[in-house]
């Protein structure tokens, strides 16, 4: 039990605060919330998915800090909620202001804002509090600046409204292909600068590769690379940590599960490079934890999905430990895996993700579990959905080869500069899209020639001249 004592002027304790909620208690309390806001539930709605992904990252950081008795400032967090009584495509937007340093109060505020019962939290006993101790902390200048920047970024999110009521992909491509080409040409100089900056960094510091998410504006990429170049000249002693490494620019700072060094594109800081060696030590532990988890789940294959939430190697180790402990306790209580489950699950795959996630079978047949999932729930879920998972796994193993062949054919026959797709577009969806494109080659061949085509869930022309079309276009 974790308590905080208030001392009198003589140094004697005169009051006791309530204990901290445990990680498991927080996860259990927030599970109904996660099932309403998790980004995977918004696959067809990229705006809402992105907003919820960013807000969940901010909330997770706040909860982790409060569990460690650290104070951090958090902006107002917007979340789109899925509700059963609302039509598909309609969501409720809530904005949650979390200005307390108390973990319990933060959890209650999140639940109340979403009209979710707090009965679970209310039943957890708390110790007597001193009056007047828990007061709202004033926000400092850093918070106000961050809040303003966050609100501004929210207002400037991608204008999906441009898609309007488009009913015919042929007409839309005819109307927008030239505009896309002109935008692509207009950013040629910026792309050249980005290429030059990357070559300079790789040559000067022995960096293996610099990559970035294609969803970022090319000007943002250039700005981040310029910041990294400037930082390198000011702190050359830290650049040794990047030798022979792949650098990735995104919304995440740390060493990824693949050993890539991620730098936050918005704020490239030299102190993040100091921690690379610390994160590297966690990388060496991951295979051991994955092997341990596999062995207690009948040799199931531990995997990672391409678009799983970004976590550092150290965080991933923590998630694996948490789930291993839960399953170990399950066996320790004398519980067993149901007899209907095969003695070996090595043909199946499971992905362990952060606490803020649903328990599900992915479209590619993988079991997706949050690290906080109770072992009895996880094992019961696996037992119930084995047939579904195997069907999807088999379908995926076939589709990925078909997708590769169709991808090559579409790119070559339309003479595209590039053909890319959103992470949420499964091989099955991409196959349907490519097949339908090929049936229209006589009418859109010349219009698409020389363009970059991005298969996603909406129509748009990005600032770099990328043509976005939904996979299920009409």
């Amino acid at each position: 039990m974790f308590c905080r004592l208030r001392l009198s002027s003589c140094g004697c304790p005169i009051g006791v605060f309530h204990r901290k909620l445990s990680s498991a208690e927080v996860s259990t309390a927030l599970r109904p919330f996660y099932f309403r806001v998790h980004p995977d539930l918004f696959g067809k709605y990229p705006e809402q998915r992105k907003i919820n992904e960013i807000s969940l990252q901010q909330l997770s950081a706040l909860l982790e800090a409060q569990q460690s008795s650290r104070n951090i400032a958090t902006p107002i967090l917007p979340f789109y909620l899925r509700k059963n009584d609302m039509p598909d495509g309609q969501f409720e937007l809530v904005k949650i202001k979390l200005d307390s340093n108390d973990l319990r109060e933060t959890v209650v505020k999140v639940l109340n804002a979403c009209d979710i019962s707090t009965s679970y939290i209310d039943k957890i006993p708390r110790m007597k509090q001193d009056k007047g101790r828990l007061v709202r902390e004033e926000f400092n200048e850093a918070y106000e600046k961050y809040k303003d920047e966050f609100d501004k970024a929210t207002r400037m999110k991608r204008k999906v409204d441009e898609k309007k009521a488009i009913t015919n992909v042929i007409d839309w491509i005819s109307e927008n292909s030239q505009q896309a080409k002109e935008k692509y040409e207009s950013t040629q100089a910026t792309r050249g600068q980005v290429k030059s900056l990357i070559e300079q960094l790789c040559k000067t510091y022995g960096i293996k590769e610099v990559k970035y998410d294609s969803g970022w504006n090319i000007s943002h990429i250039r700005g981040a690379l310029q910041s990294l170049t400037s930082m390198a000249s000011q702190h050359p002693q830290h650049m040794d940590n990047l030798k022979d490494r792949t650098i990735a620019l995104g919304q995440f700072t740390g060493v990824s599960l693949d050993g890539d060094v991620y730098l936050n594109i918005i704020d490239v800081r030299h102190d993040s490079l100091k921690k690379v060696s610390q994160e590297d030590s966690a990388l060496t532990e991951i295979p051991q934890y994955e092997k341990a988890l596999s062995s207690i789940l009948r040799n199931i294959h531990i995997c990672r999905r391409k678009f799983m939430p970004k976590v550092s190697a150290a965080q991933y180790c923590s998630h694996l430990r948490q789930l291993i402990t839960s399953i170990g306790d399950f066996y320790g209580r004398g519980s067993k895996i149901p007899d209907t489950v095969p003695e070996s699950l090595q043909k199946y795959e499971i992905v362990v993700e952060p606490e803020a996630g649903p328990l599900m079978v992915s479209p590619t047949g993988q079991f997706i579990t949050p690290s906080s999932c109770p072992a009895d729930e996880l094992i019961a879920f696996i037992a119930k959905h084995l047939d579904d998972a195997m069907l999807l796994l088999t379908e995926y193993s076939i589709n990925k080869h078909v997708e590769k062949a169709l991808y090559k054919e579409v790119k070559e026959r339309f003479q595209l500069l590039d053909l890319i797709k959103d992470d949420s577009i499964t091989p099955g969806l991409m196959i349907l899209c490519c097949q339908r494109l090929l049936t229209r080659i006589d009418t859109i061949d010349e219009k698409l020639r020389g363009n970059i085509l991005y298969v996603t869930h909406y129509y748009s022309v990005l600032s770099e001249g990328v043509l976005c079309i939904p996979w299920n276009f009409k």
Side-chain angles (χ1 to χ4, degrees), residues 52-314:
N52 283 12
E53 183 176 2
I54 294 173
S55 294
L56 274 177
Q57 290 173 352
Q58 298 287 342
L59 177 60
S60 296
L62 175 63
L63 294 173
E64 181 181 352
Q66 291 183 342
Q67 284 176 324
S68 303
S69 300
R70 293 183 288 109
N71 298 331
I72 63 172
T74 304
I76 294 176
L77 301 181
F79 285 100
Y80 284 95
L81 306 182
R82 291 194 74 110
K83 290 191 173 182
N84 294 331
D85 58 350
M86 298 182 73
D88 188 38
Q90 294 186 20
F91 314 101
E92 178 183 350
L93 175 63
V94 298
K95 297 182 179 181
I96 308 176
K97 184 177 182 180
L98 301 173
D99 50 5
S100 171
N101 291 327
D102 179 69
L103 181 60
R104 180 189 293 259
E105 185 175 344
T106 295
V107 173
V108 170
K109 280 190 173 185
V110 170
L111 297 176
N112 284 337
C114 303
D115 293 326
I116 298 174
S117 172
T118 60
S119 58
Y120 174 80
I121 286 289
D122 296 337
K123 293 177 183 177
I124 299 176
R126 68 170 83 198
M127 299 183 69
K128 185 178 180 180
Q129 303 179 44
D130 273 354
K131 295 181 179 180
R133 179 63 186 257
L134 292 179
V135 296
R136 187 173 298 177
E137 185 181 75
E138 295 182 0
F139 295 120
N140 53 31
E141 290 185 15
Y143 167 78
E144 293 296 343
K145 180 179 179 182
Y146 189 5
K147 175 182 178 298
D148 290 342
E149 291 177 352
F150 188 87
D151 290 343
K152 182 179 179 181
T154 302
R155 290 192 299 269
M156 294 176 64
K157 65 183 184 293
R158 186 176 296 155
K159 297 179 180 178
V160 179
D161 294 337
E162 292 178 9
K163 65 183 180 182
K164 302 178 182 178
I166 300 165
T167 58
N168 190 307
V169 72
I170 297 174
D171 291 342
W172 187 84
I173 288 177
S174 298
E175 294 172 3
N176 293 278
S177 61
Q178 186 57 39
Q179 177 192 1
K181 291 176 182 177
E182 291 172 357
K183 285 188 174 183
Y184 182 77
E185 289 299 323
S186 69
T187 58
Q188 184 173 357
T190 306
R191 293 197 308 276
Q193 292 172 346
V194 166
K195 182 180 179 182
S196 178
L197 286 166
I198 290 176
E199 290 176 349
Q200 179 185 346
L201 284 166
C202 291
K203 181 179 180 180
T204 305
Y205 302 103
I207 296 173
K208 178 181 178 181
E209 179 188 5
V210 178
K211 61 183 183 180
Y212 51 85
D213 189 340
S214 59
W216 284 99
N217 184 292
I218 195 68
S219 296
H220 291 159
I221 300 299
R222 178 181 59 184
L225 291 170
Q226 289 171 336
S227 296
L228 178 57
T229 300
S230 175
M231 181 195 72
S233 64
Q234 297 174 29
H235 305 278
Q237 69 277 17
H238 300 313
M239 297 303 291
D240 288 341
N241 289 331
L242 302 183
K243 189 173 182 179
D244 297 325
R245 304 292 289 265
T246 294
I247 309 302
L249 301 174
Q251 291 182 322
F252 159 67
T253 296
V255 176
S256 76
L257 306 186
D258 299 318
D260 297 342
V261 179
Y262 270 74
L263 298 176
N264 192 316
I265 193 173
I266 299 174
D267 187 19
V268 180
R269 304 174 67 91
H270 76 277
D271 52 3
S272 60
L273 300 183
K274 299 178 183 178
K275 303 176 183 178
V276 171
S277 57
Q278 299 174 10
E279 294 273 358
D280 281 343
S281 62
L283 274 177
T284 62
E285 299 176 359
I286 288 177
Q288 303 170 32
Y289 284 119
E290 290 184 335
K291 183 177 180 180
L293 179 58
S294 174
S295 65
I296 59 177
L297 282 179
R298 298 191 174 178
N299 296 318
I300 196 169
H301 187 41
I302 312 300
C303 293
R304 305 157 196 168
R305 53 179 177 154
K306 181 180 178 182
F307 47 99
M308 68 185 289
K310 290 292 187 295
V311 295
S312 69

Side-chain angles (χ1 to χ4, degrees), residues 337-338 340-342 367 377-387:
I337 295 179
T340 55
V341 177
F367 290 105
E377 289 185 23
L378 171 61
I379 291 173
F381 183 85
I382 291 175
K384 182 178 179 181
H385 293 90
L386 286 173
D387 290 342

Side-chain angles (χ1 to χ4, degrees), residues 416-444:
L416 297 170
L417 291 180
D418 202 0
L419 174 62
I420 49 182
K421 69 171 185 175
D422 187 81
D423 285 338
S424 61
I425 304 298
T426 62
L429 300 183
M430 191 64 176
I431 288 171
L432 292 175
C433 180
C434 289
Q435 289 173 336
R436 298 174 71 217
L437 279 172
L438 290 170
T439 63
R440 292 162 172 79
I441 191 167
D442 293 337
T443 53
I444 57 176

